[in-house]
Amino acid sequence: MTFTLNRRTMLAAAASTLAVPALARASSKRPNILFIMADDMGYADLSCYGRRDYETPQIDALARSGMKLMSGYANSPVCSATRTALITGRYQYRLPIGLEEPLAFRDMGLPPEEPTLPSQLRKAGYATSLIGKWHLGAAPKFGPRLSGYDRFFGIQGGGADYFTHASGRGHDLWDNETTANDHGYLTDILAREAIAQLHRHAADTRPFFMSLHFTAPHWPWEGPDDQAESARIAAAGEPAAIFHYDGGTMASYAAIMRRLDEKVGEVLAALGQLGRADDTIVVFTSDNGGERFSDNWPFSGRKTELLEGGIRVPLIVRWPGRIAAGSESTEQVMSMDWLPTFLALAGSAPAPERPSDGMDVSPALLGGTLPIRPLFWRYRHLDQSACRMGDHKYLRINGNEFLFDVVQDPLERGNLKARMPDIFADLKSRYSSWNESILPFDPESFSYGFHAKDAADRFGVE
């Protein structure tokens, strides 16, 4: 079986070309953009997506006032790779930085000359800022302000202690290129700085693009009252803040999530108080699937795995008067789609020398459909490969191959490889062709492999 152009695909393609003018007609000016990204949040870690042991009322309210997308995907099951795709609008494997995770062992980063979402929006007349996690290469060779952000406040690395703000590279809290010595819980500090930055943007005549990249709920497992745990980690040495495997409880995770929810609510309230809510498109999502205390139901797998639990993420979008309140969509939207989408809303387009691998997903936000397309993933640990197209997904893990209907079988339990050989062969062939178009794995690159034993147990590999 092969996928051919059909009436649904043709109509969706037509809707895609008409969507931006329709959105432009609905607004007298270009929208502000507030992109909020959590770190290692599982698909069902929000109560509006199914979490049962705590509630997230502020983010739930955001979902009620906008659209909840049920097939939101991260470009990778780990964070810096997804962030590369988000900021470039392209598969991360087109750049050496996209092959490596974490960025702790080699001097590597996002090349400053690479066109990015903030740099292209800035060319289109937007004020740009990043509050929170960068994780795309360390200063002085790399950094947010070398890649299109006018202002940066946050951490450069992959994670930091919530209280000491230390990571494997030492103290890691920055105001632009200057060390920031703010005291307090990191989630609170980032929310405070985001609100201050919203006030700065409100005083500017330009539309704004703010990336608010929280570190929560990434480890270390420290809620706002866990100073003692922070002290224990500090006594163990700075690297423990990022390589923190032994701590945490369900209660500490719930505390991290509740505080994150509370602070997202405060940022959104500030946006409203400044009179900017109606002309701002707000996106809330995660950089990859959840970690050990996450709820990824109804999926299996988690961070570092190409099972749905490692790459399916919560995705909420609000734009009052344009996106229907309380709506849902099952259209497949991926991290790299936001660059062409936001640029289209800004009246711009991706740099011609770096065409986006994503698509403008405005039709889905308006309640319509998107063209059927293949989506691809690759992860070095356990030689993982995946391709989803329509309802079906090809998956390879350490030499074992599968075909799943991820709509009817979201747990990925029933291997349809023998029942549907044509679809299996088609998706495998599509993956192979795509894989030839990107960079090969770097033999010196490093990839997380936290869950090798779990994967071995599930898939019978060693």
Side-chain angles (χ1 to χ4, degrees), residues 44-212:
D45 275 348
L46 303 173
S47 46
C48 62
Y49 275 85
R51 190 79 192 205
R52 293 157 288 178
D53 55 324
Y54 59 80
E55 294 185 351
T56 52
Q58 302 300 323
I59 302 174
D60 293 355
L62 179 67
R64 289 193 300 271
S65 62
M67 173 177 282
K68 189 167 66 168
L69 289 103
M70 310 307 291
S71 294
Y73 279 103
N75 259 72
S76 173
V78 291
C79 65
S80 61
T82 291
R83 291 162 200 270
T84 301
L86 171 67
I87 202 171
T88 65
R90 311 178 83 217
Y91 279 112
Q92 61 272 24
Y93 321 101
R94 300 196 184 282
L95 290 166
I97 184 179
L99 304 178
E100 187 134 347
E101 172 76 19
L103 301 179
F105 300 98
R106 292 195 291 171
D107 186 16
M108 183 175 290
L110 180 67
E113 65 273 14
E114 188 73 20
T116 65
L117 176 56
S119 70
Q120 292 179 86
L121 282 173
R122 187 164 65 182
K123 285 183 179 180
Y126 275 66
T128 61
S129 59
L130 169 62
I131 308 298
K133 177 173 171 176
W134 167 242
H135 203 200
L136 292 175
K141 289 176 62 176
F142 311 103
R145 297 219 302 161
L146 297 176
S147 290
Y149 288 110
D150 296 324
R151 182 166 187 273
F152 167 61
F153 184 98
I155 70 168
Q156 292 186 18
D161 187 273
Y162 284 86
F163 294 94
T164 67
H165 316 142
S167 69
R169 65 180 70 214
H171 184 80
D172 194 16
L173 188 62
W174 303 88
D175 188 338
N176 288 332
E177 292 76 46
T178 302
T179 300
N181 294 309
D182 301 57
H183 298 284
Y185 191 66
L186 187 54
T187 302
D188 299 355
I189 293 171
L190 296 180
R192 184 195 68 209
E193 289 297 322
I195 292 169
Q197 186 62 36
L198 285 177
H199 280 268
R200 296 186 191 99
H201 284 313
D204 197 325
T205 58
R206 295 172 293 172
F208 70 79
F209 168 61
M210 178 192 285
S211 294
L212 174 52

Side-chain angles (χ1 to χ4, degrees), residues 325-363:
S327 56
E328 289 189 5
S329 174
T330 58
E331 296 300 299
Q332 298 159 32
V333 175
M334 205 169 181
S335 310
M336 64 187 180
D337 292 332
W338 292 113
L339 180 142
T341 302
F342 291 156
L343 289 180
L345 294 174
S348 185
E353 70 274 19
R354 293 290 192 275
S356 176
D357 292 313
M359 68 164 58
D360 175 8
V361 297
S362 297

